Amino acid sequence: MPSQPPIRHALLIHGAGAGGWEWNLWRDVLHARGVDTLAPDLQPSPQGIEATTLDHYREQMRAALAALPRPRAVVGASLGGLLAWLCGDLADAMVLINPLRPQPWASPAISDTDAAARPAREWPDLIAWRRHARLATTRDAMPDADEAAILYAQRRWRDESGAVLRRALAGVEAPRPACPVLCIASRGDEDVEPQLTARFAAAIGANLIVGPGSHVGPLVGRDAARTAAQAADWLSAR
């Protein structure tokens, strides 16, 4: 049986309020392994961020992925993980990092009393993360990052659409992609509980890596290079 060609192209999809800059370290690691990457910024609707919907982002990412040569991978973090899932039919491999989950896994399990009891957060139409970005709050969000990474991120946060997050957190239905999937969960993630990511991975038959760090730690924390190398090793084995 002929061997399959290796994955040489990957679309990297960032999380809410961030940008393609989140993937700078991952891009270096993947490029060193012979994988060309595309890490675009999610673009708001022409009518503005308050009019932006999840469908706007999904169509952008599907078009970007479809333009890459095959075999190709899609890699997404947090909101980007859900968007990667919505592009899964176009991918040959998928990596989901602390992802927002699709239905029927979007809601916490009934038996998970801590997560189930947590009140739902209310999101305004315009989430002014850029305007309110401060070093102290960025440091709180990136406890496993060094000061240079914290300063870099604080200058680059962007505003986000409340409609996008409300829709994403409510859960979106999409079939499980046929391609192999790797899930990466952070033990210190306070936004996407690692135990729920592990249950999701088990339910879809995905591989799972659990490591240290915060919600954004796998991309910008001190262990990010090691995590990127683990993902690159997994991709090379596809």
Side-chain angles (χ1 to χ4, degrees), residues 138-147 149-150 186 188-189 211-224:
T138 301
R139 192 175 288 115
D140 289 343
M142 300 169 55
D144 45 350
D146 60 32
E147 283 299 308
I150 291 167
S186 298
D189 192 341
S214 65
H215 183 61
V216 297
L219 274 61
V220 296
R222 294 181 180 87
D223 288 319

Side-chain angles (χ1 to χ4, degrees), residues 150-175:
I150 291 167
L151 180 61
Y152 187 87
Q154 186 265 330
R155 292 172 172 171
R156 287 165 175 81
W157 298 125
R158 68 181 186 90
D159 294 342
E160 189 53 270
S161 161
V164 166
L165 284 186
R166 289 193 294 268
R167 173 91 186 280
L169 292 168
V172 179
E173 300 228 2

Side-chain angles (χ1 to χ4, degrees), residues 12 28 55 63 82 91 94 127 143 176 182 197 202:
L12 313 180
D28 288 344
D55 289 338
L82 178 61
M94 179 184 303
I127 306 170
R176 190 218 184 279
L182 170 66
T197 298

Side-chain angles (χ1 to χ4, degrees), residues 55-68:
D55 289 338
H56 286 116
Y57 288 165
R58 176 176 58 188
E59 293 312 307
Q60 291 170 34
M61 294 302 99
R62 287 183 64 83
L65 183 59
L68 295 181

Side-chain angles (χ1 to χ4, degrees), residues 189-221:
D189 192 341
E190 297 181 354
D191 295 305
V192 177
E193 296 85 353
Q195 68 272 25
L196 297 182
T197 298
R199 292 175 195 170
F200 170 59
I204 64 172
N207 296 116
L208 175 68
I209 294 173
V210 180
S214 65
H215 183 61
V216 297
L219 274 61
V220 296

